[in-house]
Amino acid sequence: MVRRHIAGRGISDARVLDAMAAVPRERFVERSLSHRAYADGPLPIGHGQTISQPYVVAWMAEAAELGTGDRVLEVGTGSGYAAAVLSRLAGTVYTVERHRMLAEEALQRLSVLGYGNVRVRHGDGSLGWGRHAPYDAILVAAAGPRVPRALRDQLGPGGRLVMPVGSHCGRQRLTLERRGRSGNFKREELGAVRFVPLIPH
Ligand code: SAH
């Protein structure tokens, strides 16, 4: 999967490729779907939600330029798969999920698999997780019409925020925002994506 769908489609960061190769995606989907875990597509995880497409997880991780000690906020834990990948690239991953069941299942899965540097919380991720701010990077795994104010506020100087921005049901643009040292934001559009909507509580 990594050679064909990730490196093959242009992801070149060696740390990202190693992290993608190390995380057992079949452990993040139900057993009946495990034969499809290494195809490059989203898969249902219940509650109308999906585990992200591996290529998109790698793309977002590469865009966020994660360093080994970074503190990362993820919005939309889902299965916990992307959080596991991020945990291999950064220092600590704080991830927020609005579905209580998904948050509980992800926490259970991540602890069984030994991802000790991931903290999972049930709540509205569009408000961020103020307690552990500021973050070096914020990755939003659900789409909204604009970057929520609270997330910008919780990004530290020099921080990177990656989020699909656009209409809820159509296609969105994967967007990278960098926070400058003086608090200004620079925005870059990376390409077209399709995510489930970011739903406030
Ligand atoms: N990264 C996940 C996939 C996430 S799918 C994985 O690797 O499996 C998007 C997730 O965002 C869904 O689980 C959805 O419930 C969640 N979500 C949507 N709106 C949210 C919000 N306001 N706060 C937190 N999570 C939210």
Side-chain angles (χ1 to χ4, degrees):
M1 176 189 87
V2 171
R3 208 176 314 120
R4 190 162 154 201
H5 298 303
I6 313 292
R9 286 183 64 188
I11 304 296
S12 58
D13 184 324
R15 293 184 64 237
V16 171
L17 296 175
D18 286 349
M20 294 296 297
V23 175
R25 192 167 184 255
E26 82 277 5
R27 300 291 294 273
F28 293 84
V29 295
E30 57 180 83
R31 197 158 295 167
S32 63
L33 294 173
S34 58
H35 65 288
R36 286 164 60 193
Y38 296 100
D40 188 32
L43 290 171
I45 54 173
H47 312 279
Q49 305 301 322
T50 52
I51 180 173
S52 302
Q53 178 188 354
Y55 170 71
V56 175
V57 172
W59 190 13
M60 291 177 78
E62 186 175 64
E65 293 172 10
L66 302 176
T68 45
D70 280 1
R71 299 151 54 75
V72 178
L73 173 69
E74 184 199 27
V75 176
T77 316
S79 66
Y81 171 68
V85 172
L86 300 174
S87 81
R88 299 193 62 99
L89 295 164
T92 312
V93 178
Y94 300 91
T95 179
V96 185
E97 169 58 53
R98 67 178 283 274
H99 262 291
R100 185 182 291 279
M101 281 295 290
L102 288 176
E104 284 172 5
E105 286 166 15
L107 177 60
Q108 163 78 9
R109 216 176 259 136
L110 289 161
S111 65
V112 166
L113 293 171
Y115 293 100
N117 59 339
V118 183
R119 304 268 305 272
V120 183
R121 180 173 161 240
H122 168 241
D124 179 4
S126 63
L127 304 174
W129 190 344
R131 188 160 181 206
H132 303 290
Y135 299 98
D136 300 296
I138 299 179
L139 288 89
V140 186
R146 65 193 69 83
V147 174
R149 172 79 192 267
L151 299 185
R152 277 212 185 106
D153 289 346
Q154 291 175 27
L155 192 65
R160 291 82 56 202
L161 186 153
V162 186
M163 174 174 169
V165 177
S167 68
H168 274 181
C169 43
R171 289 167 80 82
Q172 308 104 24
R173 310 292 297 173
L174 190 62
T175 303
L176 167 67
E177 289 198 2
R178 279 174 198 283
R179 183 174 191 151
R181 302 278 155 198
S182 55
N184 59 315
F185 284 86
K186 269 202 193 128
R187 158 192 277 249
E188 195 183 319
E189 285 192 358
L190 305 177
V193 283
R194 195 184 291 260
F195 276 80
V196 298
L198 180 70
I199 301 169
H201 260 315

